Amino acid sequence: MATTPNSVKVTLYKSLNGRLKSHQDCAHGLGIRKIHRSVVVIDTPENRGMINKISYMVKVEEV
């Protein structure tokens, strides 16, 4: 997958089970489906908002 200079790698480290529906929706919106899986997303304000909302479940790395 080609990365752009302003992209971030997001990895899910905690389960989505038992979380608020809005937090589950944020994870799915970012494309994260399973624990310990990573996705590379473009660093936009919309994606940053979703990442900030579920920051207790994910680890973020600059790519």
Side-chain angles (χ1 to χ4, degrees), residues 10-30:
V10 184
T11 307
L12 184 66
Y13 276 101
K14 289 191 175 187
S15 174
L16 294 173
N17 290 338
R19 306 294 177 189
L20 292 174
K21 178 74 171 123
S22 61
H23 291 197
Q24 291 177 12
D25 292 342
C26 284
H28 287 286
L30 289 168

Side-chain angles (χ1 to χ4, degrees), residues 10-14 30 32 51 54-60:
V10 184
T11 307
L12 184 66
Y13 276 101
K14 289 191 175 187
L30 289 168
I32 304 170
I51 291 169
I54 60 171
S55 62
Y56 66 96
M57 289 192 292
V58 296
K59 182 182 284 186
V60 180

